[in-house]
Amino acid sequence: MSEQQPKFLTALASLFPVLLLLVIDIFALWLQPQSKAISHLALGVLTAQLICLIVFLKGEICNGQRSRLSLVNMYFAIFWVVWFLLSFWSNYHYILTDFVSVCGLALVLTTWRQPQEEELRDGLLKIAGLIGTLGVICYGIVLFDTENLIQFNPVAQILLGIILANLALVISRNRLQGFIALLMLSAIVLLALNAIFVVANLFYFAQQSAVIFHNEFALLLYFLLHFIIAAILATHIFKQWKLSYNSLIILLFISASLPLWANFAYTL
């Protein structure tokens, strides 16, 4: 993102990823009629917020970078407000979704307009860390209560969170290049872990005769998308290229769509 990026375009760049995630997440919910109102991507958003929180606490960033990153984080509030309303007014209201949404929204608010005094700011950010951890724990309880763990895959969601956090750093024109490079390497490791996780779960369900494959192409595409993400990341690492906003949006869209392809591929 350019240093002279107009505020309107910066706001639009911050809003678009959140809207993209909401469209995909709500569509995934719509594909599962008569089910509890559970987000397929909430853990990913929480992960992105917690990564940004690490930057706020430990990153050597100037006040300008801190301010811009906190403003980018404010757009995550839209995701949590929409999901709270979806859950609260749903015929299949799920109170844990409310708790996760409240924790996510509280994490946004506690990282907004951070105090200038370092001790006070660090104390507030540590409280934010506790709130975010509580949100992750609540979502973990949701996963234990979910039969189809692949479609709510925690590994894929953490991968999504890393990409989303990277996107937030790019939009806020953050200069922590070493940290960003570490995020890219972590994403490649998570890709491999996610493929292993999905294969292991499908093998288990197949052994129990509890899975019906009805779209082999969707299943093939699910794993093919892993290679596409890996190719994009590997190319940027070996060529020592910085991930641009457009590249990260593509990665975000691919990783967020994984639950959809899993939904199309099989039923339990």
Side-chain angles (χ1 to χ4, degrees):
M1 304 291 287
S2 170
E3 290 289 341
Q4 303 300 321
Q5 181 81 12
K7 290 184 178 180
F8 171 75
L9 292 180
T10 300
L12 188 62
S14 303
L15 178 62
F16 180 72
V18 176
L19 294 182
L20 178 64
L21 293 181
L22 279 172
V23 169
I24 294 174
D25 212 3
I26 293 171
F27 182 56
L29 177 67
W30 178 77
L31 289 174
Q32 297 179 330
Q34 298 185 348
S35 63
K36 296 175 181 176
I38 304 174
S39 168
H40 291 71
L41 306 176
L43 181 59
V45 178
L46 281 174
T47 300
Q49 290 179 264
L50 289 172
I51 291 174
C52 290
L53 183 61
I54 293 173
V55 174
F56 286 133
L57 277 169
K58 302 297 183 181
E60 296 182 0
I61 55 177
C62 65
N63 289 333
Q65 293 177 61
R66 182 179 298 276
S67 176
R68 290 193 297 268
L69 186 58
S70 66
L71 287 175
V72 172
N73 271 246
M74 278 299 296
Y75 285 87
F76 294 144
I78 299 172
F79 181 91
W80 297 119
V81 169
V82 169
W83 260 104
F84 180 85
L85 294 176
L86 280 174
S87 172
F88 191 79
W89 296 106
S90 171
N91 293 330
Y92 305 95
H93 179 215
Y94 193 38
I95 193 169
L96 281 175
T97 297
D98 298 346
F99 282 133
V100 173
S101 300
V102 168
C103 288
L105 185 58
L107 182 52
V108 169
L109 295 176
T110 48
T111 55
W112 183 49
R113 295 194 180 280
Q114 300 168 27
Q116 293 294 325
E117 185 180 344
E118 186 174 352
E119 290 186 4
L120 181 60
R121 182 177 66 224
D122 287 351
L124 183 63
L125 292 176
K126 288 176 182 177
I127 293 174
L130 292 175
I131 294 171
T133 302
L134 179 61
V136 172
I137 292 172
C138 288
Y139 196 83
I141 298 173
V142 171
L143 293 180
F144 276 113
D145 194 35
T146 303
E147 295 180 359
N148 196 342
L149 192 57
I150 295 176
Q151 292 181 21
F152 296 89
N153 189 338
V155 182
Q157 290 196 59
I158 294 172
L159 169 65
L160 171 71
I162 289 176
I163 295 170
L164 186 58
N166 203 331
L167 192 55
L169 293 174
V170 168
I171 295 171
S172 61
R173 304 190 294 279
N174 203 286
R175 300 184 183 91
L176 298 175
Q177 297 305 321
F179 184 69
I180 291 174
L182 181 61
L183 290 180
M184 293 170 64
L185 290 173
S186 301
I188 291 180
V189 172
L190 282 166
L191 270 174
L193 291 176
N194 185 63
I196 294 171
F197 177 85
V198 172
V199 169
N201 274 273
L202 287 177
F203 179 77
Y204 171 78
F205 290 136
Q207 291 293 102
Q208 301 295 321
S209 300
V211 60
I212 301 174
F213 296 101
H214 47 76
N215 193 331
E216 290 78 6
F217 174 76
L219 185 61
L220 177 64
L221 185 58
Y222 183 92
F223 289 103
L224 180 61
L225 291 175
H226 284 63
F227 287 104
I228 294 174
I229 295 175
I232 294 173
L233 291 173
T235 300
H236 282 76
I237 290 173
F238 290 130
K239 296 288 187 179
Q240 296 185 343
W241 294 341
K242 296 179 182 179
L243 280 166
S244 66
Y245 177 84
N246 292 335
S247 298
L248 286 165
I249 285 293
I250 293 171
L251 291 173
L252 185 73
F253 174 75
I254 294 174
S255 58
S257 68
L258 291 177
L260 297 179
W261 297 113
N263 187 288
F264 295 145
Y266 67 90
T267 54
L268 294 177

